[in-house]
Structures are given as structure tokens and as C-alpha cells.
Amino acid sequence: MDKQGEAYWKATLGLLTKILAVWFLVSFGAGILFADMLNGIHLGGYPLGFWFAQQGSIYVFVALIFVYAKKMGEIDRKFDVHEE
Amino acid sequence: MDLQTTIYLVVGLSFALYIGIAIWARAGSTSEFYVAGGGVGPRINGMATAADWMSAASFISMAGLIGYMGYGGGLFLMGWTGGYVLLALLLAPYLRKFGKFTVPQFIGDRYYSQTASTVAVLCLLVASLTYIIGQMTGVGVAFSRFLGVSNETGIYVGMAIVFTYAVFGGMKGITYTQVAQYVVLIFAYTVPAIFISMHLTGNPIPQLGLGSDMVGTDVSLLQKLDSIVVDLGFGQYTTTTAGSTLNMFVYTLSLMIGTAGLPHVIMRFFTVPSVAAARLSAGWALVFIAILYTTAPAVAAMARMNLHATVNSAVNSGGDMFAAESSLKVEDRPEWMKRWEVTGLLKFEDKNGDGRIQYYNDKTTDQAVLDKAAAAGWKGSELTVNRDIIVLANPEIALLPNWVIALVAAGGLAAALSTAAGLLLAISSAISHDLVKGVFNPNISEKGELMAGKVAMACSIVLAGYLGLNPPGFAAGTVALAFGIAASSLFPAIMMGIFSKKMNKEGAIAGMLAGLTITLFYVFAHKGLFFIKGTDYLPLIGGKNSFFGITPEAFGAIGALVNFTVAFVVDKFTKAPPEHIQALVESVRTPRGAKAVDGRH
């Protein structure tokens, strides 16, 4: 792989790592591992851990995919590998 | 108009709509109506994908299971949506760039091996068949209620209809029909939820209603539900986890990577116009899926509340639930209970002979509850409600107007039929194209290939229907097994095919086989060999959930771990893939030069 290609792939993996970190934190973190702790805090009538498991993580997932699509498009153009 | 007539009318109208659109689209005779490739944007494609994806498990079964599980039910919600993130980030754009139509084709080319492709077909068949068993369970519930017959008869009728539907090409491939199905399905799901949320909390948005106070009080709905279920000996609603934290963790992970490994989901992304569109399509699909998935927890909790309130008047009045007059008199039971009794999915038995129905957890470990029940003369819980009926019965339980009940029936049928037909098509193409034509008889005529596909379809539906009569679990649970199988076999092979240039065919094949075998071994130990009742072998693995308390539905993540490990070890000791394959992987990683998909038949 040439230098340009390597840099592109590195940038891609960097973005994936960041997004998957958030993905993990909201679902496995807030929704499961720390749910009990977060349940002490309330969001309206929702205990917060319960909210993350049954509502919050889904909203974050949707946002994550759109952020990914946008950032990935920027990386594509920066390294000039985007589609016509 | 009476309820049954209204149901026939609404279901009939919804089907007329799908067929009408199909005819209109064909008459237009432009290719843009077929496959999402042409002029269809990511939004429309996302909506069609959502309709394709949300099956009987999501629509009919899931909220009922969450209602019983409480907080732990969140694993379905996070698992089946979080998988889209993995799909969008790790697979969809790269498979689109690769430009072949099926998963076995990708595996076969990337691992330069017919054997790898055949192993992938095997994994695909096992996962899809298990998935269809779950669908048939759901179809049986929907048809038994719709026609007012027993659950068995419902499954037989369902088998016949699914088969006809699938053989005539289903309504697949016609994006606008799927859009119509999505619209019917989402209306059918949200309208009753809005009514019920309004009624219980005064807030018409179910997602907010679930976090609101009960009408006329300053007690939140969840707090009230917590106290009712605890008083009746059930686990607290907002904190009861699914088995253990570890089990919930791996269960969620299984569903997520299973979503990203299921061939009929992945296939949708092969047909979008570009790599950029593949990324966006996954996002839009998740938006439309999220509308149902964020409503489901409200449906779950509110249905649970209404069910308890129906059987025990003290739930609403705030009196003593153990007082004799609080329990529902048998002869006063509402019409909906009688209607569901016909299907055999709802039963009651007057154990203490007092002419009233008591519903509580008689297996609770809470001695105080058992004492209270004994003092009140209760001799065990008298009501059995199949979890799979909750969503369909929900509008009836809440005494909503007939047209709403009919709409839910139409939505349930749309969800179950479209997904079952889609899976059958995936199975038939895997057998006829990848297996018969690819391996056994390369010279087969086009007509012979078509015939082989139809025979495969007929066999799988009979098999799935037979196993659906004695299902390995509730619809969503069975579908979860299918996700576990996909997670342990296909996902790792596809992912390594993209993210590791050095992964070779020996590693991938050994990994797939190891992941599939160990997962099936653990699942069959609990559910019987090939899901046949009575052939389970729990003593051999040391009892139920013997692997760190992990349930068979959750085991897919462990299987995937085994798959990755075996693949890397075998890869270390065998020859690196040839130069041109490494170049292929590099080209898959960059979007430029994505061509139209080929290899379609």
C-alpha cells in the first residue's frame, strides 16, 4: 500500500475507534455495567440507567451513524478517494 | 361493525394496497422501481430496509418479552439497534465497494476458496432457518387471533400463506411496496401506544409518557409499576436484569454482532448506488427502526400495568391487592380474554375455587408475599399469558376502538409475512445458486436452478412450521438464537476479510466451523438437537446455563470469540493469502471506483 493509502486507512481506523468507544460507553457502559449506579439519578420519571438501556442508547446510535457518514465523507475527500 | 368484520376489512385493505402498488410499479415498467439501485434515495431505501428488518420478533414478540423482563429486556432494544452501528461502520460500505450480491460470494472470493463459500452457505442456512422458526411462531400467534382458531391451526394457515407469498416473489425487491408496509406497520405500532400513553399519563408521546407521572397523581408510571409488581412477588421492573450482568452483556453483544452478520440484512446494502449511500442508508434505516424501538419499552411497561389492572382492581384504586374483592370475577372477565382463550395462548385455572382470577408470582422467594397470598387463600397464580400475545392483545386490553385493534392485526401480519418471505428467498438463492449451481451441478439450466430454489423453499417452510409447533422459545427468543448463530459464524469471517489483509482461507474456514459448532453444541444442549423436543443433553454440559450462567440465546458472542481465536491461531501456522487477494482487500477499503453490483441472478 502506498503512503497515501496507509494514511487514509489510519485516519479511517482512528474515526472508527472514536465512534465505537462512544457506542460502547452508552450501551455496555451506561446501559449495563454502570446502570445500577446511574439509577440513583432521575430523568423525569426515568431512572437514568434504565433510560440508557431502553431509550438513550438508541438515540445515540442514530446520531453516531450520521456523524460517521459525515466525517468519513470528509476523510474521503481529504485523501481524494471519494466517488465522483 | 363488529370486531371480526373490521379486522378482515383492515387486513384486506392493507393487502390490497401492497398488491396495488406492486401492479402499479410493474406497469410503470421502469427499472427504477425495482431494487433500490436506481433513483431511490437513502431515505426511501432506509424505510424499505426497516420494513424488511422488523419482523414478527420486533413487532409481535419483543414488547411482550420486555414487559415481563423489565429493565433486562433492554438487551433486545440495544442489541437490535446497536448492531446497525457495527454494520454501518465495519461492513456495509466495504461490502458495497466489493460489489457482489451475496455473502457466500464475498467469502468465496475474499478467501479464494469454494470450500469457504460452501461453509458460509451452511452457516447462512442454519441461521436463516432458525430465524424462520421464530417467524412461524409469530405468524401462528397472529393468524390464530386473526381467524379465531387454535395456535396450531394458525401455524398451518400461516405456512400455506407464507409459502404462496414467497413463491410468487413475495413483495420483495419492490421498494415502494416495502415503504407501504413500513407505513402500515409503524402506524399499527404507534397509534395504540399513543392512545394508551395518553390514557395512563396524559402525555401523547409514548417515549415521554413512560417517564411521566400517572394521570392525576404525582407518582411516576415506572415507580408505580415497580411497587405493584414487587407487591405481587415479581422482580422490580426498572432494575431486574436478564439473568446476570455478565449474561446481559454478552446477550446484547450477540444480538449486535448478529445483526451485522445476518445475510438478509447485509444484502440490502449491496444494492445502494454508492459507498457513501451505503453509509447513509444504514443511518436512515436505523432512524425508522428507532421509531418502533423507542416506542416498544412504553408499550411493554404500559401493557404490563394494564394487564395487572385488569385482573386486580386495587391496582387502579390503590387499595389492598390481596383483598378478596380486588381480584377479577371469572364471569366478569373482559371479552378480549375470551377471544384469546380460543387460541390456547391465554389460560386460567381457578385453583382455589373462589370464582375469581388471581395473578401473581407464586414462585417468588419473597416470604412476605407468599404469607400474604396464603392468608388471602390464594393457591397459586391462576392466569397464564403467552408473552407473544401481549402486543396484539394490548389495544384490546386497553379497550381501544375496534379499528385500532384491526390495524394492529394488519401490522403484525405485514411484519411477519414480509420477513419470512425475505428469508425464504435468501435460503432458496443460497441453495440453488451458491450450492447446487456453484458446487454440485455447474451446468444446471436456469429453469432447473429456479426449480431447485422452489423445492428448497417448500422444504424449509415445512421444516420451520413443524419446529414452530413446538418452538424452542418465544418468537423473539428464537430469533435471538438465529442472531447468535450468525454472530458466531459469519460476522467474524466477513470482518476479518476486510480488516485483516493477512487472514487466509484456512483460518477463516476453521474459524467459521469452530464458531458455528460450539454455538450449536451449547444451544442444542438446551433446546434439543436441531430444536427437536426431547433430544436435549443438558447433563453432558453440566446443567442449564452451565457456562458462567450464560443462556443459549446469549452464547453467540462467546462463539464469535472462539471463531476469532481459532482463525488467528490457524492463520499463524498456514500460508499467507496470495498477493492479488491482499491487493483486493486494499481496493475494498477505498470508496473510489465502486461499480454496479454484479453476480446477481
Side-chain angles (χ1 to χ4, degrees):
Chain A
M1 200 186 275
D2 55 38
K3 269 225 162 69
Q4 183 77 351
E6 259 172 49
Y8 170 73
W9 191 239
K10 212 175 145 206
T12 305
L13 292 181
L15 176 66
L16 295 188
T17 312
K18 273 185 228 147
I19 293 195
L20 288 179
V22 180
W23 165 83
F24 184 86
L25 279 179
V26 289
S27 51
F28 294 100
I32 299 179
L33 297 175
F34 307 117
D36 276 347
M37 226 158 71
L38 291 175
N39 277 341
I41 308 168
H42 278 74
L43 191 72
Y46 281 114
L48 195 58
F50 177 87
W51 183 79
F52 266 108
Q54 302 211 343
Q55 296 277 310
S57 52
I58 304 177
Y59 300 127
V60 178
F61 292 155
V62 171
L64 283 179
I65 298 188
F66 283 104
V67 170
Y68 159 75
K70 186 165 174 287
K71 295 271 179 204
M72 204 58 222
E74 285 166 14
I75 295 179
D76 284 353
R77 274 187 295 279
K78 187 175 158 204
F79 289 91
D80 192 34
V81 293
H82 57 285
E83 298 153 289
E84 285 70 47
Chain B
M1 202 174 349
D2 77 324
L3 177 60
Q4 201 58 35
T5 321
T6 317
I7 293 183
Y8 281 129
L9 189 75
V10 174
V11 171
L13 278 178
S14 68
F15 274 78
L17 175 71
Y18 312 144
I19 297 168
I21 292 175
I23 294 173
W24 166 73
R26 286 217 165 94
S29 82
T30 39
S31 59
E32 74 192 57
F33 287 106
Y34 300 92
V35 201
V40 180
R43 237 163 274 163
I44 295 287
N45 189 47
M47 206 182 261
T49 307
D52 221 12
W53 156 251
M54 288 191 287
S55 64
S58 299
F59 188 98
I60 298 178
S61 180
M62 188 176 68
L65 278 179
I66 298 171
Y68 278 89
M69 295 166 74
Y71 155 76
L75 63 91
F76 290 114
L77 301 161
M78 290 186 287
W80 281 333
T81 54
Y84 266 83
V85 179
L86 295 181
L87 188 61
L89 267 64
L90 304 180
L91 308 186
Y94 304 109
L95 290 174
R96 173 61 193 85
K97 172 68 195 296
F98 183 74
K100 282 286 162 61
F101 192 67
T102 70
V103 169
Q105 275 169 357
F106 170 77
I107 303 247
D109 286 7
R110 164 61 183 83
Y111 295 112
Y112 47 99
S113 155
Q114 184 65 58
T115 316
S117 156
T118 308
V119 171
V121 171
L122 178 76
C123 301
L124 184 155
L125 287 180
V126 179
S128 304
L129 263 175
T130 312
Y131 202 140
I132 296 190
I133 300 171
Q135 294 304 311
M136 291 315 295
T137 313
V139 168
V141 175
F143 273 104
S144 61
R145 172 63 192 86
F146 170 43
L147 302 170
V149 294
S150 75
N151 190 36
E152 284 79 28
T153 318
I155 290 182
Y156 292 131
V157 175
M159 277 163 73
I161 291 185
V162 170
F163 181 68
T164 323
Y165 197 83
V167 164
F168 289 113
M171 281 157 186
K172 301 272 306 171
I174 302 165
T175 308
Y176 287 100
T177 306
Q178 288 175 319
V179 170
Q181 280 175 336
Y182 176 79
V183 173
V184 169
L185 192 149
I186 206 70
F187 261 99
Y189 206 82
T190 49
V191 166
I194 291 168
F195 268 107
I196 294 168
S197 177
M198 190 73 199
H199 180 242
L200 288 179
T201 67
N203 193 325
I205 301 167
Q207 287 83 345
L208 300 178
L210 183 57
S212 302
D213 292 345
M214 296 289 285
V215 159
T217 68
D218 51 5
V219 180
S220 79
L221 186 139
L222 285 168
Q223 208 180 334
K224 166 135 187 174
L225 185 57
D226 271 349
S227 82
I228 290 166
V229 295
V230 169
D231 284 351
L232 290 171
F234 298 98
Q236 191 176 31
Y237 193 82
T238 52
T239 56
T240 302
T241 188
S244 65
T245 302
L246 174 69
N247 188 55
M248 182 155 170
F249 189 100
V250 290
Y251 202 143
T252 308
L253 189 62
S254 272
L255 296 184
M256 283 184 179
I257 58 186
T259 299
L262 268 181
H264 79 287
V265 184
I266 298 177
M267 266 167 74
R268 294 284 332 186
F269 297 95
F270 290 165
T271 55
V272 292
S274 66
V275 173
R279 296 177 190 143
L280 263 187
S281 267
W284 281 109
L286 190 56
V287 168
F288 294 114
I289 291 167
I291 298 176
L292 188 142
Y293 272 66
T294 53
T295 309
V299 171
M302 290 170 189
R304 179 86 182 265
M305 178 80 96
N306 279 336
L307 182 65
H308 283 299
T310 305
V311 187
N312 197 312
S313 63
V315 167
N316 283 336
S317 67
D320 176 13
M321 289 197 286
F322 291 88
E325 69 279 5
S326 296
S327 295
L328 179 70
K329 272 196 196 140
V330 172
E331 67 266 27
D332 290 347
R333 69 187 194 283
E335 283 305 308
W336 68 266
M337 281 196 174
K338 296 176 192 160
R339 289 194 288 262
W340 280 99
E341 281 162 28
V342 177
T343 65
L345 297 169
L346 180 144
K347 295 185 197 100
F348 71 86
E349 181 195 352
D350 195 359
K351 289 178 183 160
N352 61 353
D354 65 350
R356 291 170 182 272
I357 302 172
Q358 281 95 33
Y359 177 48
Y360 66 110
N361 182 12
D362 50 14
K363 295 189 183 59
T364 181
T365 50
D366 186 342
Q367 196 52 44
V369 173
L370 291 176
D371 290 347
K372 271 196 220 166
W378 293 9
K379 296 205 170 119
S381 185
E382 302 177 344
L383 186 69
T384 326
V385 185
N386 184 303
R387 277 100 166 121
D388 283 348
I389 74 170
I390 292 297
V391 168
L392 291 175
N394 191 29
E396 302 177 76
I397 300 173
L399 308 175
L400 297 184
N402 283 355
W403 67 270
V404 180
I405 301 173
L407 187 63
V408 174
L413 288 173
L417 288 181
S418 63
T419 309
L423 283 161
L424 284 173
L425 288 175
I427 289 181
S428 90
S429 75
I431 290 189
S432 66
H433 192 77
D434 296 326
L435 211 58
V436 174
K437 194 181 164 80
V439 181
F440 296 119
N441 183 3
N443 302 321
I444 193 169
S445 69
E446 202 155 298
K447 222 172 147 192
E449 198 187 324
L450 216 61
M451 197 61 215
K454 288 202 172 134
V455 172
M457 239 189 243
C459 292
S460 25
I461 193 135
V462 170
L463 188 66
Y466 168 73
L467 294 168
L469 288 172
N470 280 302
F474 298 109
T478 310
V479 167
L481 290 173
F483 278 74
I485 294 166
S488 66
S489 58
L490 292 169
F491 175 78
I494 305 174
M495 197 186 150
M496 290 182 296
I498 298 161
F499 287 85
S500 161
K501 271 195 286 186
K502 299 282 182 203
M503 182 49 63
N504 61 13
K505 67 173 174 191
E506 291 84 1
I509 293 171
M512 281 192 283
L513 287 174
L516 180 69
T517 311
I518 193 153
T519 306
L520 286 182
F521 178 76
Y522 195 76
V523 168
F524 288 164
H526 290 81
K527 307 286 185 183
L529 269 179
F530 301 98
F531 305 118
I532 295 164
K533 279 270 136 71
T535 57
D536 44 301
Y537 46 90
L538 276 176
L540 193 65
I541 62 161
K544 204 172 166 206
N545 306 337
S546 54
F547 190 79
F548 296 104
I550 289 170
T551 55
E553 291 85 357
F555 196 78
I558 309 295
L561 196 66
V562 171
N563 185 333
F564 278 119
T565 314
V566 168
F568 277 110
V569 170
V570 171
D571 180 60
K572 269 250 171 300
F573 295 102
T574 43
K575 216 164 64 196
E579 206 51 46
H580 74 275
I581 293 296
Q582 303 194 26
L584 172 82
V585 176
E586 271 174 27
S587 90
V588 162
R589 289 175 178 179
T590 48
R592 178 160 297 167
K595 288 195 220 43
V597 174
D598 62 12
R600 197 165 182 221
H601 59 285

